Amino acid sequence: MTLTVQAASIQAATFAVLKEAFEAANPGISVKIQTISDDQKQTTNLQVVTGSNPPDVAFVPTNSNVYTSALEVDGLLPLTDVWENQKLDSRYDASTAAATKAADGIPYVVTTDNLLYNVAFYNKDLFEQADITVPENRRIPDNETLYEIADKLKAIGVAPVNFSGKDIFAAGWLIDGLLPTAATPSEMENYLTSYNPGIEVTVEYTDQPFVQTIEQLAEWAEHGVFQDGFLGQDLATALAQFQQGQAGIFIGASAHVASLTESGLSYDWLLLPPVEGSTTTVTLPSYQGDSWAVPAKADHPDEAKLFLEFMMSDEMQVEAFGGNDILPIVNTVSLDQLTELDPVTRSLVEDTVANGAPIGWTSAVPGAFGQTHIGGQVQALWSGQASVSSVAEAQQAELLKVREG
Amino acid sequence: MALVGLFFVVPIVQAVTVSLSGWPGVGPVEIEGLGNYAAVLASPEFYHSLLRTVVFAVVVAFGIVSIATLLAAAVSRRVRGARIYRVIWFIPGIAPAAAVAVYWNTAFQPEIGTVNAIAGLLGLNTNSALLASPSTALYPVILVSIWSGVGFAFILILGGMEQIPVSVYEAASIDGASPARQFFSLTLPLLRPILSITATLNLIWAFNNFTTVWGMTNGGPGLATTTLPVLVYRTAFIDGQFGEGSAIAVIAGAILLVLGFVSLRITQSRGVS
Amino acid sequence: MRRLAAFAKHVLLLLWSALVVVPFVLICLLAFRSEKDIYNYPLGLGGSFTLENFAIAWWGPGGDTGVGIFLANSASVALTALATNLAFGAPSAYFITLLSGKVRRRLIRVFLVATVVPLVLLVVPYFQLFDFMGGLNNPFALGFAYGSVALPTTVLILTAFFSDFPHELREAASLDGLTAFGTFIRVVLPLSKGALVGTSLLALIFVWGESQLAVPLLQDPTAQTVPVGLLAFRGQFQGQLGPIFAGLSLAAVPIIIVYLIFNRFIAKGIALGGVFR
């Protein structure tokens, strides 16, 4: 029999490993990988997953509308058995386990990997050339230092911070880095969960923490921290420009380490400063939304569950997900087991061990409410079509809307 | 007719039904009333988007038809190399729009894009970022849409021009009419039906163009290039509000219909001798 | 004065040709460059020469599905679409022109209404229709749908052409004892090659480039068409322009060849049409 499995095109290598190992372990089952695009995983995949001929294993990011809507019509099978067999309740961190279950406490997906983002990769040579002292502890302490770095980079004729302003997810990255430095831990928890009507709203989006975060975004853009034309530039372009030494800093993710190292660039990483006046230590946001489900109408649900369990095994977590682009998510795999990890990725992971790596706001809340909504709003803000207060008000209005259902 | 029924009437009826509901994209559709229409008509985003779309469609259609007519007029008199031109000009129209949009987005980037590199060769500023500013982001999209649309319009119009018998021009020449005069008083009026339908079709296509706009700008920055199809896509597919998205599409369809008739009227009545 | 006009005309022709050709030359040149050089040398003149992009484009990033398969699928889709489109479009258009003025105008309006339907609106209903009828991942089913989607436009254009068709010929045919349908097949069609090829080309352009409907309808990589397949080369965390450009170059070749072949028919059809004026 043939098991059809969806995967994002970027994960082709990971899934090639999975396919081969799974077929070897389960004679008689052949795996067919169907790649889907980023646009699709947020949009029309809903119809595919809930249609009468869905894949056996579907790619359903938990922060997408596809996940939320598919649950509304009972389009996904409960995976309680998979979670039990693989002891996911304890092998996931508590926050991951909570975020991965539906509002009713039942798991409908397994999330397979961890991705660290909002990393400010910097070009070592350009920093030296521009006479920039690398901040201690990989953290740019405050805005003043950031502006100074940006000015020095511009003075030697390169772009300061390369950022993919065209991409709708990009503004969310910065917010995910800033918001925890503006909000208290309890406020942060409420921001992460209050889209759920069962949870009382204790902090609004028109309150100080969120407003301050948005203000910070506006201020960075005003101070010319980002490259010229960043609002029209997508991630691939921003990355390429950094790789060829035309930008001092690039805002990226752990997924970019492999291609950065491959390009032969001499680079390391930093974190952008917290919101003005905050003394909270900045942390790397993590994205844990690469999750897989079994559609209710799948032809081979049992084999599909077998595949999910296989993905979550320690062995596959190391072999398939322990590459340089994505990181294993379970806590039963130690850093030492990932022998092929790039030193840069290793240092990112070490930082998360020391300082933590909470799930980013746009990675946790539903996409239509978080990532895509705020992405458009902040673009409008940066291009002068919206103000800080209108962005905050729009977000609050969106919160009320999503809570109403 | 059955085909039109299957592939148009059924979907249209369904879209209208969905526009009256709060359908999240899956499951049964439950009609709730005109709430979505009220929401759309009360939203400033919709009017902003409508204005952009109309400007975009009219400029693109006008650009395509005028350039195509000029080119056809130039080639129809057996210019040297006409055969080659015919082939070359057709190329942009046949490249898959989604992939071409990827190229053009790169081309319009500051410093690293081809457009700016060429500007540099001409001694101009190389860091213009047209796509990044809400006031200019629509221009590159318009240019690319015209660029890819001229080829086919050219063929239609040229086909029409070559059907005009030579004797008509000979008579005019004998009467002493200059080529320019012949063009305006003979060619254009005789081409009226074809120009009219070419303009109307291009207006419709530009109005409904999603691929080029989405590929080049994703509708951004902010809402600067969010034309109605992009708004429909965002509302329905990304935000999961299929009811409101369908309502926008239905209203957009109605407006386009009016535009289409107006376009046919204007272009058909103009220059009737 | 006349010299000046002729000169201006040639400048215009060359300028437009350059505008049209340069991007394609660039796409082809850049397809031979590494990802880094594409950004380093936006004019394609510099950097090292590589065939890697073409390899990725042809066999696909995973090594199993690439432009090779996409082209075959696109061809199936295109042929089915053209057959559907012409088989239904041409007779409809012709018989509409024979109707009385009022009915004719009404019908044309119906088709005009159908042409204004935005594709975005059709995505979900089409998915459900295909899902229901088991036509997902089937290039032929998609071709049939494309042929129908393009039908209103085809009918509109052909009606415009057929309405110019000389009366005398039709009358002569009926005097010879031909039925209306016989006249259409034996007399009208052979004399309308230009128009038919023209509308087919239009349908072909649409089919060759359409991705919005096709993306959800063709999930299986082995069933995908060129535009759908090319788009998959671009992901959120990794952009690969090289393979897209290589794929674009490869995808443009067959359709240019088709155009070159049919270009003669267009010229011929138009010349024939002129005779009867």
Side-chain angles (χ1 to χ4, degrees):
Chain A
M1 57 147 291
T2 304
L3 192 70
T4 48
V5 176
Q6 281 189 335
S9 42
I10 175 142
Q11 295 155 329
T14 300
F15 276 78
V17 175
L18 281 169
K19 171 185 156 78
E20 200 172 308
F22 187 77
E23 286 174 349
N26 298 278
I29 304 183
S30 72
V31 174
K32 189 169 176 187
I33 307 290
Q34 299 190 343
T35 49
I36 67 170
S37 74
D38 282 327
D39 238 14
Q40 241 175 306
K41 76 176 184 194
Q42 304 264 19
T43 56
T44 48
N45 206 31
L46 172 61
Q47 277 71 35
V48 176
V49 170
T50 55
S52 64
N53 187 19
D56 294 308
V57 175
F59 182 34
V60 182
T62 45
N63 67 345
S64 71
N65 168 57
V66 178
Y67 175 69
T68 338
S69 296
L71 282 188
E72 273 175 35
V73 292
D74 298 327
L76 306 176
L77 291 183
L79 298 177
T80 322
D81 43 350
V82 174
W83 276 54
E84 269 169 21
N85 293 343
Q86 285 295 324
K87 303 188 176 56
L88 293 180
D89 265 316
S90 63
R91 287 171 72 223
Y92 282 142
D93 289 337
S95 61
T96 306
T100 311
K101 287 179 188 171
D104 54 7
I106 296 173
Y108 292 92
V109 294
V110 298
T111 177
T112 52
D113 51 76
N114 196 355
L115 197 140
L116 301 165
Y117 60 98
N118 201 33
V119 184
F121 293 106
Y122 70 93
N123 182 322
K124 282 185 179 173
D125 297 337
L126 290 179
F127 263 45
E128 203 168 302
Q129 201 185 324
D131 197 22
I132 297 168
T133 337
V134 178
E136 262 175 63
N137 199 20
R138 298 183 182 279
R139 278 156 175 82
I140 300 175
D142 47 32
N143 285 328
E144 223 166 287
T145 319
L146 175 66
Y147 301 151
E148 196 188 311
I149 294 176
D151 288 342
K152 281 183 174 172
L153 287 167
K154 282 189 263 186
I156 61 163
V158 296
V161 179
N162 249 26
F163 176 68
S164 54
K166 180 197 165 201
D167 293 315
I168 203 88
F169 55 82
W173 288 13
L174 298 178
I175 292 175
D176 294 349
L178 286 169
L179 191 56
T181 70
T184 64
S186 65
E187 285 172 335
M188 197 59 220
E189 198 192 317
N190 197 246
Y191 275 135
L192 290 178
T193 50
S194 62
Y195 66 87
N196 189 331
I199 286 167
E200 193 195 343
V201 180
T202 55
V203 57
E204 301 195 341
Y205 285 95
T206 45
D207 288 342
Q208 189 59 17
F210 194 76
V211 171
Q212 213 183 348
T213 300
I214 304 299
E215 264 170 9
Q216 192 62 71
L217 295 183
E219 203 186 309
W220 283 351
E222 252 167 56
H223 272 83
V225 166
F226 306 120
Q227 81 273 30
D228 285 342
F230 72 98
L231 278 176
Q233 208 160 74
D234 62 13
L235 195 124
T237 316
L239 170 64
Q241 220 174 352
F242 176 69
Q243 277 176 330
Q244 63 176 70
Q246 290 185 358
I249 294 177
F250 161 69
I251 304 295
S254 55
H256 299 122
V257 168
S259 76
L260 285 173
T261 300
E262 201 181 303
S263 73
L265 193 76
S266 161
Y267 75 105
D268 207 342
W269 62 273
L270 293 168
L271 291 177
L272 294 174
V275 292
E276 185 74 51
S278 167
T279 52
T280 313
T281 308
V282 178
T283 49
L284 280 160
S286 73
Y287 170 72
Q288 307 178 335
D290 276 353
S291 37
W292 274 263
V294 182
K297 291 180 193 145
D299 288 339
H300 313 289
D302 297 333
E303 289 82 357
K305 286 181 176 177
L306 204 62
F307 189 83
L308 294 184
E309 290 190 25
F310 190 73
M311 289 204 285
M312 296 314 298
S313 67
D314 277 352
E315 197 191 344
M316 280 303 118
Q317 283 281 303
V318 172
E319 278 178 27
F321 295 98
N324 282 314
D325 288 345
I326 36 184
L327 294 159
I329 198 164
V330 294
N331 50 28
T332 42
V333 170
S334 78
L335 195 50
D336 301 335
Q337 282 172 273
L338 307 175
T339 47
E340 291 187 7
L341 220 52
D342 191 287
V344 175
T345 315
R346 189 172 293 274
S347 65
L348 284 167
V349 179
E350 280 163 358
D351 193 277
T352 68
V353 173
N355 299 304
I359 299 184
W361 176 72
T362 54
S363 301
V365 301
F369 159 67
Q371 193 181 57
T372 52
H373 180 260
I374 197 67
Q377 288 287 326
V378 172
Q379 273 190 353
L381 172 76
W382 278 330
S383 56
Q385 302 168 85
S387 67
V388 172
S389 59
S390 76
V391 172
E393 276 158 25
Q395 193 60 48
Q396 179 65 22
E398 203 63 22
L399 173 73
L400 300 180
K401 208 159 130 190
V402 78
R403 281 173 67 91
E404 274 173 24
Chain B
M1 273 294 152
L3 274 187
V4 173
L6 181 63
F7 286 100
F8 286 98
V9 178
V10 173
I12 291 175
V13 169
Q14 193 175 356
V16 173
T17 320
V18 168
S19 74
L20 297 171
S21 76
W23 197 52
V26 281
V29 180
E30 285 162 25
I31 294 191
E32 288 169 359
L34 292 167
N36 290 322
Y37 288 90
V40 169
L41 293 175
S43 122
E45 277 180 21
F46 170 74
Y47 294 100
H48 171 96
S49 177
L50 174 63
L51 184 68
R52 292 270 152 168
T53 315
V54 172
V55 170
F56 173 74
V58 170
V59 174
V60 168
F62 184 77
I64 287 178
V65 173
S66 22
I67 294 179
T69 310
L70 276 179
L71 293 176
V75 169
S76 72
R77 302 291 189 80
R78 311 264 164 219
V79 178
R80 197 201 294 213
R83 282 185 149 229
I84 299 172
Y85 286 138
R86 282 183 182 198
V87 176
I88 290 177
W89 292 343
F90 197 60
I91 298 177
I94 56 181
V100 166
V102 171
Y103 166 76
W104 280 110
N105 176 269
T106 323
F108 276 103
Q109 297 296 336
E111 307 294 347
I112 52 168
T114 317
V115 173
N116 277 301
I118 291 176
L121 289 182
L122 301 174
L124 301 170
N125 196 348
T126 61
N127 63 358
S128 71
L130 292 177
L131 288 171
S133 157
S135 54
T136 56
L138 202 57
Y139 300 148
V141 186
I142 289 177
L143 289 177
V144 172
S145 305
I146 293 179
W147 175 82
S148 56
V150 165
F152 187 73
F154 161 76
I155 287 185
L156 279 186
I157 294 170
L158 183 67
M161 277 187 187
E162 297 200 335
Q163 283 188 332
I164 300 172
V166 185
S167 54
V168 174
Y169 290 107
E170 280 165 357
S173 297
I174 293 168
D175 290 348
S178 72
R181 217 190 122 74
Q182 286 179 25
F183 177 73
F184 284 106
S185 57
L186 271 178
T187 314
L188 284 188
L190 285 171
L191 276 181
R192 192 165 37 91
I194 285 178
L195 285 181
S196 155
I197 204 154
T198 313
T200 309
L201 283 176
N202 275 294
L203 185 79
I204 293 169
W205 291 333
F207 194 97
N208 282 336
N209 182 336
F210 170 83
T211 313
T212 309
V213 184
W214 185 255
M216 285 183 70
T217 65
N218 289 0
L223 290 172
T225 55
T226 301
T227 55
L228 287 174
V230 174
L231 190 66
V232 170
Y233 182 77
R234 278 192 174 180
T235 314
F237 287 97
I238 296 183
D239 297 346
Q241 293 168 354
F242 284 82
E244 207 174 309
S246 302
I248 299 174
V250 170
I251 301 175
I255 293 171
L256 182 53
L257 210 55
V258 174
L259 268 182
F261 282 126
V262 170
S263 159
L264 277 182
R265 271 284 150 76
I266 293 179
T267 46
Q268 285 187 334
S269 62
R270 191 196 293 154
V272 180
S273 45
Chain C
M1 183 61 204
R2 200 154 271 202
R3 282 258 166 105
L4 197 67
F7 178 71
K9 189 163 85 179
H10 279 282
V11 170
L12 171 83
L13 297 182
L14 288 175
L15 200 67
W16 185 257
S17 304
L19 258 174
V20 163
V21 169
V22 166
F24 279 93
V25 172
L26 282 170
I27 289 175
C28 294
L29 279 177
L30 292 174
F32 288 104
R33 306 290 178 206
S34 72
E35 206 62 20
K36 196 176 157 193
D37 288 336
I38 289 178
Y39 293 100
N40 258 328
Y41 307 101
L43 294 180
L45 308 167
S48 52
F49 177 88
T50 170
L51 285 173
E52 199 190 339
N53 293 327
F54 283 92
I56 297 176
W58 189 258
W59 284 291
D64 43 2
T65 48
V67 176
I69 293 171
F70 301 154
L71 277 174
N73 290 330
S74 273
S76 321
V77 171
L79 289 178
T80 322
L82 286 188
T84 314
N85 190 253
L86 286 185
F88 293 95
S92 313
Y94 177 69
F95 290 107
I96 284 176
T97 56
L98 296 187
L99 296 169
S100 73
K102 213 169 202 179
V103 184
R104 192 178 71 208
R105 250 169 275 143
R106 289 238 170 100
L107 267 177
I108 288 182
R109 268 177 208 192
V110 170
F111 281 100
L112 193 63
V113 170
T115 55
V116 306
V117 176
L119 273 184
V120 193
L121 195 63
L122 299 179
V123 175
V124 172
Y126 274 31
F127 182 84
Q128 291 172 330
L129 189 69
F130 273 61
D131 194 18
F132 180 70
M133 306 205 305
L136 291 176
N137 293 325
N138 184 340
F140 295 99
L142 182 67
F144 190 68
Y146 277 165
S148 314
V149 171
L151 206 51
T153 313
T154 302
V155 171
L156 278 187
I157 295 184
L158 286 183
T159 317
F161 274 91
F162 286 147
S163 61
D164 286 346
F165 199 83
H167 266 285
E168 306 80 28
L169 274 178
R170 266 203 318 258
E171 279 153 18
S174 69
L175 283 180
D176 286 350
L178 281 176
T179 60
F181 197 73
T183 313
F184 172 65
I185 299 285
R186 304 245 189 110
V187 181
V188 180
L189 278 191
L191 292 175
S192 313
K193 267 187 207 148
L196 292 177
V197 174
T199 47
S200 308
L201 267 178
L202 176 63
L204 193 63
I205 298 171
F206 162 70
V207 169
W208 205 254
E210 205 287 326
S211 56
Q212 237 188 317
L213 285 178
V215 163
L217 297 180
L218 301 175
Q219 288 282 309
D220 187 342
T222 54
Q224 286 171 351
T225 56
V226 172
V228 178
L230 284 185
L231 280 182
F233 290 170
R234 205 166 167 80
Q236 178 167 336
F237 292 105
Q238 196 179 335
Q240 288 188 304
L241 286 178
I244 293 184
F245 291 167
L248 252 177
S249 320
L250 291 172
V253 172
I255 199 159
I256 289 179
I257 293 174
V258 168
Y259 176 72
L260 284 177
I261 296 170
F262 283 95
N263 189 25
R264 291 183 199 164
F265 283 90
I266 300 176
K268 215 176 177 183
I270 289 167
L272 273 179
V275 171
F276 295 102
R277 278 286 173 146

